[in-house]
Amino acid sequence: MTNTLRPQDLRAACDPASLPYADSRDIPDDPGALARTQPRAHAALSLALSIGGREHHVYLAGEPSMGRTHFARRFLDPAAAKGQVPPDWLYVHNFDDPDRPRAVSLPAGQGKGFKAALAKAVTDMREEIPARFEREAYQTEKQSLLRGYNADRETVLDEMEEKARGEGYSLFVDDQGGFTLYPLLEGKVVSDEEFERLDPELKKSLKAKGDRLLEEMGTALRRLSKEERGYRDREKDLERATAGEVVDAHLAALADFRAGSPAIDRYLSAMRADILDNLDAFLPQPAQAAPPPAPHGEGAYPEDTFYRYEANLFVDNGQLTGAPVVIEDHPTYFNLMGCIERESEMGALYTDFTLIKAGSLHRANGGFLIIRVDDISANLGAWESLLRALRSGFGRVEDPAEGGEHVRTRTIEPEPLPLDLKVVLVGPDEAYELLLYNDERFGKLFKLKAHLQETMPRTAENVLVYLTLVATVIREAALPPFDRAALAGLVEYASLLAEDQARLSLKLPLARELMIEAAALARGEGAETVGAAHLEQARRARDFRVNLYEEEYLEEYDREMIKVPTTGQAVGRANGLSVRMFGDYAFGLPHQIACTVGVGHGGILDLEREAELGGPIHTKGMMILKSYLLGRFAQDKALVMTGSLCFEQSYAEVEGDSASGAELAALLSALAERPIRLCYAMTGAVSQSGAILAVGGLNEKIRGFFTVCRRRGLTGEQGVLLPADNVVNLMLDDDIVAAVAEGRFHIFPVTTIEEAMEILTGIPAGAPGPDGSFPAGTLYSLVDERLARLARFAPGLPGGQPGRG
């Protein structure tokens, strides 16, 4: 068997001696490893850092298990560390429009200090203003104002009393400041009862005279009112001046904040004016019954008005040393865009600016926000709001309009924050295409695609780069050192994950899982380092945990409940190979493919398709078989036959064309009436010209057939036929390599179906001559003769004897 693969062809071994490191502790850190392993993604993210504006956000595309979020974080963290720390943001009361709180910014770290200083200033004012009103100096000045007012009032009243007496009336002033004129008769005041008993003409005369006198006293009354208003104003000015001294003294502690922020200065000026306009709130209030609550849901506010003098520290960047990098792993609307909370007061809901809470969009402002597309796709409202915010350049905090705008409770409208950040959306290529084709806003905002590649070439230089990434995993996960042999084993495992001897898989999370499990085994043994044996033990332990269904299938093969002969030979039968997936575990199983042919016009029937168990790709593979027969054998005659192909004992859906080579082999065997050796199994797709094409899952397929043969006993004749193009994909286990080295198992690379048929039947396929005929005694001459007989017999089917094919 000169065309079988050699043991060294079956896997790309990594010689530990080729590695320059004794163990993982010798591997230096390499900051440039990311750029070399993912050049496309690195270039896109680098460009994003150099472009400002609202349009060049990034979609990081890659398959699962690529460590996409970790890659983004590893790239962005160094860039963020060199960036500027964004300012703190606070919400404060808007004294002009309380329903629209104002947003103010302060340099990072000052927001908390301003909030604390403001709270202390207000607390001190609440204590000192009432105390200042009780001081003797204030009371003396207030009494002086009162005495002055009382003196002026007495002067006016005396003038009015004198004028009234001169006209024969007495002036009476009640406790409420009301004035009443009583007539005097013979020097005595006439009471109401006495006045009613007077002569009507006298009463009329006295009343008219009294009315005239009241009109004449109007000037004095207006003067008295003016004096009272003046007194009240002077008293108010005294209160404002006294309280203003207290307010100014305590607000002076905030002078540094005012100097650095015009917005803070405007707020504190408005706050000072509001405090002086509402001094009654600072004075002890008499006990009184609580007012009835507002109807539920109408946003009743509590009686305490001091919330207006608080500051809501909306975003605190005081702990940052660079730009923020925020990963939002639960991007609901409120987590992403922030929210306006509500509190209950006696059954009624209310809200104010102190209940505004930031979302991750606001916390990432000035830096980077990382979101997984599959997370945000489950929250349509969050996605719409994110696009709206990125397009407008402002981060709003508002109640989502669920159910329409026509039913809303009372709320507030905080001033939006200007946005300056980069959003990195992480997801697969399929999601990128869906968003790009179905949402025009996505293409306008996420102009940069950072594409993660799954593998890189397995060169000596890249092996060292890969080991740098491995060493980073070891350090970050605090694993024991990996010795030289274990590092070589990880390089081989990377090629196994890539299913390519010439490439290394960059699905580091999968390698990390194996490393952690191997480290646990090493610790359990008390080993100081992790060796290659620990890696192999971890692999086999992982397979054992998940291979229950595989083992149950193999038991069915052992008991021959599933009939797949691995010895002997049969006409129209071939062993094909398939891959089964249960969760994340894949394993290969052999299947017997059976074919029958006869006279008729039915063509080649695909029983899987007829039973609606065959997928479209499998159906296409069956059509290619007919195309191959047409090209090889129907150049001088019609191709008239009836045949059927099926997978024996297959009750699940069949998809893919990797069995089309074995199906064609069974068909050719049935047509030539020559047996196929069942010690072989075959995988590979076939083209219309008969070329055997590469397929996937080679390692699992070979492992499946090898395991069945080994459990029955290797005869030294068994083996697998595979496409020659797939040799580079082989990363077989040590036991298969050993069996091949010992001549107990064989692997044949084939390029054409003719080459495969010669191995399977032991008969040369034969090439057509100039006249189109095949050499006598070759397999294809037998096929050609059989097809000619079937074509001759076919026309007589309707009315004559069908004969034998």
Side-chain angles (χ1 to χ4, degrees):
M1 298 181 183
T2 58
N3 61 339
T4 59
L5 293 179
R6 301 169 299 171
Q8 58 265 35
D9 299 327
L10 304 183
R11 64 180 296 113
C14 179
D15 184 4
S18 67
L19 303 181
Y21 311 119
D23 59 47
S24 59
R25 289 171 293 192
D26 295 339
I27 302 176
D29 190 21
D30 184 3
L34 282 178
R36 293 199 292 276
T37 58
Q38 298 291 352
R40 292 173 178 81
H42 191 274
L45 289 170
S46 298
L47 183 61
L49 295 180
S50 62
I51 298 179
R54 304 195 299 265
E55 300 175 349
H56 288 80
H57 300 282
V58 181
Y59 187 97
L60 182 60
E63 295 305 309
S65 299
M66 286 295 299
R68 298 167 299 189
T69 304
H70 181 74
F71 173 85
R73 191 66 186 261
R74 284 284 303 277
F75 178 89
L76 294 175
D77 278 346
K82 299 176 183 177
Q84 293 184 349
V85 180
D88 294 341
W89 283 95
L90 305 96
Y91 273 110
V92 295
H93 184 70
N94 184 348
F95 295 100
D96 296 327
D97 189 350
D99 288 340
R100 290 177 170 81
R102 295 192 181 280
V104 296
S105 65
L106 284 171
Q110 293 189 18
K112 185 178 294 185
F114 175 77
K115 177 181 174 70
L118 180 64
K120 183 178 185 306
V122 173
T123 300
D124 292 344
M125 284 188 278
R126 294 183 67 176
E127 293 178 356
E128 187 169 345
I129 288 176
R132 184 67 66 91
F133 288 161
E134 297 297 328
R135 288 185 179 181
E136 183 177 352
Y138 170 79
Q139 292 294 334
T140 299
E141 192 167 354
K142 184 177 180 181
Q143 290 298 323
S144 176
L145 291 177
L146 181 60
R147 286 194 297 271
Y149 165 71
N150 287 335
D152 292 341
R153 185 172 183 271
E154 289 298 327
T155 299
V156 173
L157 291 177
D158 288 345
E159 292 176 356
M160 294 174 64
E161 177 68 22
E162 183 178 353
K163 183 175 181 61
R165 284 189 176 278
E167 296 289 340
Y169 283 85
S170 175
L171 180 66
F172 176 75
V173 182
D174 58 25
D175 295 337
Q176 285 74 36
F179 300 94
T180 307
L181 288 174
Y182 292 98
L184 295 174
L185 293 178
E186 297 178 357
K188 295 182 179 180
V189 176
V190 178
S191 65
D192 291 339
E193 293 81 4
E194 293 173 338
F195 183 79
E196 292 299 327
R197 293 195 294 269
L198 294 177
D199 180 73
E201 289 297 326
L202 181 58
K203 287 197 306 181
K204 182 177 179 181
S205 173
L206 291 174
K207 187 174 184 309
K209 186 177 180 181
D211 292 340
R212 178 180 56 79
L213 185 58
L214 284 176
E215 291 179 4
E216 293 176 355
M217 288 184 177
T219 301
L221 292 174
R222 287 191 293 273
R223 176 184 168 191
L224 188 61
S225 297
K226 182 178 179 180
E227 291 292 338
E228 183 176 2
R229 288 196 301 270
Y231 164 70
R232 298 299 178 191
D233 291 341
R234 288 190 295 275
E235 184 181 41
K236 196 70 174 178
D237 290 341
L238 176 62
E239 292 178 352
R240 291 173 64 90
T242 303
E245 293 176 359
V246 177
V247 174
D248 290 340
H250 290 290
L251 291 185
L254 303 171
D256 291 341
F257 298 107
R258 304 184 76 161
S261 172
I264 292 292
D265 182 65
R266 288 192 296 269
Y267 165 71
L268 292 178
S269 297
M271 172 182 164
R272 180 185 186 279
D274 188 77
I275 291 175
L276 298 183
D277 288 340
N278 295 276
L279 288 175
D280 289 344
F282 287 81
L283 302 178
Q285 302 295 319
Q288 55 183 349
H296 179 73
E298 291 189 1
Y301 287 82
E303 289 300 312
D304 183 12
T305 60
F306 288 99
Y307 77 92
R308 296 180 297 185
Y309 312 133
E310 298 178 17
N312 176 7
L313 184 54
F314 186 64
V315 177
D316 181 10
N317 290 320
Q319 302 300 318
L320 297 179
T321 56
V325 179
V326 177
I327 299 176
E328 180 51 75
D329 55 4
H330 188 202
T332 63
Y333 176 88
F334 295 118
N335 289 348
L336 182 64
M337 305 303 298
C339 65
I340 303 172
E341 295 180 343
R342 286 176 169 79
E343 291 186 354
S344 176
E345 181 77 14
M346 300 183 66
L349 297 177
Y350 74 92
T351 189
D352 58 55
F353 72 93
T354 64
L355 298 176
I356 306 171
K357 305 300 179 183
S360 54
L361 182 71
H362 309 102
R363 293 193 298 273
N365 196 18
F368 308 94
L369 175 62
I370 302 173
I371 308 174
R372 291 174 56 93
V373 69
D374 52 350
D375 290 334
I376 198 169
S377 63
N379 299 278
L380 183 59
W383 172 247
E384 292 292 329
S385 298
L386 175 64
L387 292 182
R388 200 157 45 241
L390 296 181
R391 183 175 57 188
S392 67
F394 289 96
R396 302 180 184 276
V397 183
E398 55 190 358
D399 291 324
E402 297 178 359
E405 292 283 349
H406 52 279
V407 178
R408 295 188 64 182
T409 58
R410 181 179 177 183
T411 186
I412 56 179
E413 298 179 21
E415 181 180 357
L417 270 61
L419 295 180
D420 180 19
L421 79 164
K422 290 293 182 184
V423 176
V424 179
L425 200 60
V426 177
D429 280 309
E430 294 80 4
Y432 176 81
E433 293 185 5
L434 286 173
L435 290 170
L436 190 64
Y437 297 146
N438 295 288
D439 193 333
E440 64 176 359
R441 298 169 299 174
F442 173 78
K444 293 179 180 179
L445 294 170
F446 290 85
K447 293 183 179 295
L448 297 177
K449 181 181 181 182
H451 207 158
L452 292 175
Q453 60 191 52
E454 296 187 35
T455 63
M456 66 178 178
R458 183 174 163 175
T459 63
E461 180 183 0
N462 284 345
V463 166
L464 298 182
V465 173
Y466 182 79
L467 291 179
T468 299
L469 302 178
V470 166
T472 301
V473 171
I474 294 172
R475 285 191 290 268
E476 291 179 349
L479 303 180
F482 280 58
D483 66 20
R484 192 190 303 268
L487 295 176
L490 288 173
V491 172
E492 294 181 8
Y493 186 66
S495 289
L496 174 62
L497 292 176
E499 295 188 12
D500 196 320
Q501 297 178 5
R503 303 195 72 82
L504 297 170
S505 171
L506 293 175
K507 292 186 176 181
L508 284 174
L510 299 182
R512 180 178 181 272
E513 294 172 7
L514 181 67
M515 293 165 64
I516 291 174
E517 293 169 14
L521 295 174
R523 288 193 185 101
E525 295 179 1
E528 294 183 358
T529 60
V530 180
H534 298 124
L535 282 177
E536 183 61 24
Q537 185 181 355
R539 276 192 59 200
R540 296 193 180 280
R542 175 184 293 184
D543 290 344
F544 176 74
R545 293 194 298 270
V546 296
N547 73 347
L548 175 61
Y549 288 127
E550 179 187 19
E551 186 63 30
E552 290 178 349
Y553 270 111
L554 291 174
E555 290 177 0
E556 297 298 301
Y557 283 95
D558 294 343
R559 300 166 59 193
E560 295 192 4
M561 300 294 290
I562 301 178
K563 300 187 181 301
V564 178
T566 55
T567 58
Q569 54 187 10
V571 175
R573 291 180 178 272
N575 288 335
L577 298 172
S578 66
V579 176
R580 290 289 184 93
M581 288 289 298
F582 281 92
D584 60 349
Y585 182 68
F587 58 92
L589 292 174
H591 293 281
Q592 185 151 107
I593 297 172
C595 177
T596 59
V597 295
V599 177
H601 295 270
I604 302 174
L605 298 178
D606 178 9
L607 298 188
E608 310 300 328
R609 179 186 179 188
E610 297 296 322
E612 298 183 353
L613 292 176
I617 297 178
H618 179 263
T619 299
K620 178 184 177 182
M622 293 297 297
M623 294 178 178
I624 289 175
L625 302 189
K626 182 176 180 181
S627 299
Y628 176 78
L629 294 181
L630 288 172
R632 277 287 186 272
F633 305 106
Q635 300 304 306
D636 56 357
K637 58 184 174 299
L639 185 62
V640 182
M641 60 169 288
T642 295
S644 64
L645 277 163
C646 76
F647 283 77
E648 299 281 5
Q649 293 183 286
S650 175
Y651 309 106
E653 292 185 359
V654 178
E655 180 59 311
D657 60 355
S658 64
S660 60
E663 290 171 323
L664 180 55
L667 175 59
L668 292 172
S669 170
L671 288 169
E673 297 180 310
R674 291 296 183 271
I676 285 177
R677 289 189 267 184
L678 300 178
C679 58
Y680 299 134
M682 181 178 177
T683 183
V686 67
S687 71
Q688 292 187 105
S689 64
I692 300 299
L693 307 178
V695 293
L698 264 295
N699 296 297
E700 291 82 4
K701 291 174 180 178
I702 295 173
R703 158 65 63 183
F705 188 66
F706 174 80
T707 303
V708 171
C709 293
R710 183 181 60 184
R711 291 167 73 111
R712 294 176 177 178
L714 292 174
T715 64
E717 296 181 352
Q718 291 130 334
V720 171
L721 283 70
L722 52 78
D725 293 340
N726 276 129
V727 173
V728 72
N729 302 117
L730 295 179
M731 286 296 295
L732 297 177
D733 293 337
D734 292 338
D735 53 352
I736 302 178
V737 175
V740 170
E742 296 167 3
R744 296 184 296 122
F745 197 74
H746 311 279
I747 298 178
F748 303 88
V750 294
T751 57
T752 64
I753 187 63
E754 293 83 3
E755 187 180 346
M757 291 305 298
E758 185 171 347
I759 297 172
L760 292 171
T761 63
I763 303 173
D771 59 351
S773 63
F774 296 92
T778 61
L779 185 71
Y780 277 14
S781 68
L782 299 175
V783 173
D784 193 52
E785 293 170 4
R786 180 72 181 283
L787 289 173
R789 291 199 305 273
L790 293 174
R792 287 197 303 273
F793 290 136
L797 281 176
Q801 298 297 321
R804 291 187 58 200

